[in-house]
Amino acid sequence: MLSFMPDWSFVMMLWLLPVVFFIHDGEEIATMEGWLRKNKNSPWVTKFSPVSIPWDKHITLQFTFAVLLIGFILTSVTALTALNFESSSPFNALFAGFVTVFLLDGVKHVGASIALWAYTPGVITAAILEIPYGIYALYRLLHADIINMTSLAFGTIIALPITLVLVWTGLTLGKRIAPFRQDM
């Protein structure tokens, strides 16, 4: 039985999702543009980007806009979950779905770094914060019977497409809103 920090309240554990998200995405924001420019011809970049990347522009603001949009939704879902925290709340399943997507994102970061045998943006915080938080939060929610495997699957089925749409929307709107400058 896992007994790591059993005295943490559930509400504190819930609010760690947006905290860990913003720390993780802060690492990505700080390193993404340089990494993308260095690897712009890599199939990892050209095939897996949800929007076209303007290589002659500064993209940090575009990426930051997408992070803020996703962070706003995660924080809103966390707030609704914390305010309605009980075994029967439908917000618990959606929250758990977002935690699962977050955990999968961490695994993706670590897997990409292993496959490339190099640093990828976000891998450090994915390994030390994102993956451990995801495992811990899901364990706590399942072990306390706050969610079950069915509601976890249902929440993930809802959260995954929402996340993908938010990433695409954030990057697309960020591309149009952010005041890009030509590289000097």
Side-chain angles (χ1 to χ4, degrees), residues 5 30 49 55 65 71 76 79 91 99 122-123 126 128 138 151 162 171 180:
M5 296 184 204
S49 177
W55 299 111
F65 185 83
S76 298
F91 295 111
V99 171
V123 70
I128 64 173
L138 292 175
S151 61
I162 289 172
L171 290 173
F180 293 117

Side-chain angles (χ1 to χ4, degrees), residues 39-183:
N39 295 284
K40 69 181 177 184
N41 295 321
S42 165
W44 285 89
V45 173
T46 57
K47 289 183 182 178
F48 297 111
S49 177
V51 297
S52 65
I53 299 170
W55 299 111
D56 61 335
K57 309 283 186 186
H58 294 280
I59 60 170
T60 299
L61 291 174
Q62 176 186 357
F63 187 72
T64 301
F65 185 83
V67 167
L68 290 174
L69 178 62
I70 296 165
F72 173 76
I73 299 300
L74 279 181
T75 302
S76 298
V77 169
T78 300
L80 290 170
T81 304
L83 290 171
N84 298 291
F85 192 70
E86 53 193 52
S87 296
S88 61
S89 174
F91 295 111
N92 294 341
L94 184 58
F95 177 85
F98 278 115
V99 171
T100 303
V101 171
F102 194 57
L103 174 61
L104 293 172
D105 179 66
V107 171
K108 174 203 68 173
H109 280 287
V110 172
S113 284
I114 291 169
L116 295 172
W117 204 246
Y119 174 83
T120 57
V123 70
I124 295 169
T125 52
I128 64 173
L129 294 175
E130 198 173 21
I131 293 172
Y133 170 77
I135 292 169
Y136 178 72
L138 292 175
Y139 170 80
R140 290 280 309 267
L141 291 167
L142 287 164
H143 185 64
D145 292 324
I146 302 299
I147 60 165
N148 57 35
M149 291 305 289
T150 303
S151 61
L152 176 62
F154 181 70
T156 304
I157 289 169
I158 293 171
L160 185 58
I162 289 172
T163 303
L164 295 174
V165 167
L166 287 172
V167 168
W168 180 84
T169 301
L171 290 173
T172 301
L173 290 176
K175 185 177 180 178
R176 293 180 185 182
I177 294 170
F180 293 117
R181 305 179 318 235
Q182 290 289 336
D183 278 349

